[in-house]
Amino acid sequence: MNERIKLVRLAQSPKMSQDAFGAKIGITGAAISRIESGDRSVTDQVIMSICREFGVCETWLRTGNGEMFIRPDPDDEIERILAQISTSDDELIRRIIRAYWRLDEKEKAAISKLIDGLCENRNTPGD
């Protein structure tokens, strides 16, 4: 399991340090280092935290069987994102959401078209 935990950490974009990974799940980077090297056993609490914070399939993490990441239900993903926003100190995203929510339907359609264009450009090979 130690190698799979390392794979989860390195699969983050950008690749996450042991300190940053540990901070996300409430333990130190040194503890992550010991887990990844096999010098420390993994508690159920750590497993559950990794699965929750990074969308990892618990079965894969424990056994290596199946897919690494859970394919989120779009509604569940929105709820997770909104929960993160509500506890974040990122005032920009809050301003964006408030501003969007106050737009009329025509303005929302224009923003939607803009976002769709940004997403298409981001997914273009070679960029």
Side-chain angles (χ1 to χ4, degrees), residues 7-96:
L7 287 172
V8 170
R9 179 176 63 81
L10 295 176
Q12 303 311 304
S13 180
K15 290 180 182 166
M16 192 173 276
S17 70
Q18 290 174 331
D19 288 332
F21 188 82
K24 292 283 262 180
I25 61 171
I27 63 176
T28 66
I32 292 297
S33 176
R34 289 191 301 274
I35 287 169
E36 288 182 0
S37 68
D39 292 338
R40 179 177 174 179
S41 60
V42 184
T43 66
D44 285 339
Q45 176 79 24
V46 167
I47 291 169
M48 299 307 290
S49 294
I50 290 170
C51 293
R52 180 188 67 247
E53 289 299 317
F54 300 102
V56 172
C57 175
E58 184 178 350
T59 300
W60 177 85
L61 188 57
R62 289 183 184 273
T63 68
N65 295 326
E67 298 290 322
M68 180 188 301
F69 294 108
I70 298 168
R71 296 183 191 259
D73 176 293
D75 291 336
D76 291 342
E77 185 178 26
I78 291 294
E79 287 181 28
R80 182 182 55 78
I81 291 168
L82 290 174
Q84 289 174 342
I85 290 169
S86 72
T87 60
S88 167
D89 60 355
D90 185 345
E91 188 55 35
L92 175 61
I93 191 65
R94 292 169 193 235
R95 287 182 17 230
I96 291 168

Side-chain angles (χ1 to χ4, degrees), residues 95 97-104 107-108:
R95 287 182 17 230
I97 291 169
R98 280 193 290 274
Y100 177 81
W101 206 249
R102 293 179 185 134
L103 298 175
D104 64 32
E107 292 166 325
K108 286 180 181 178

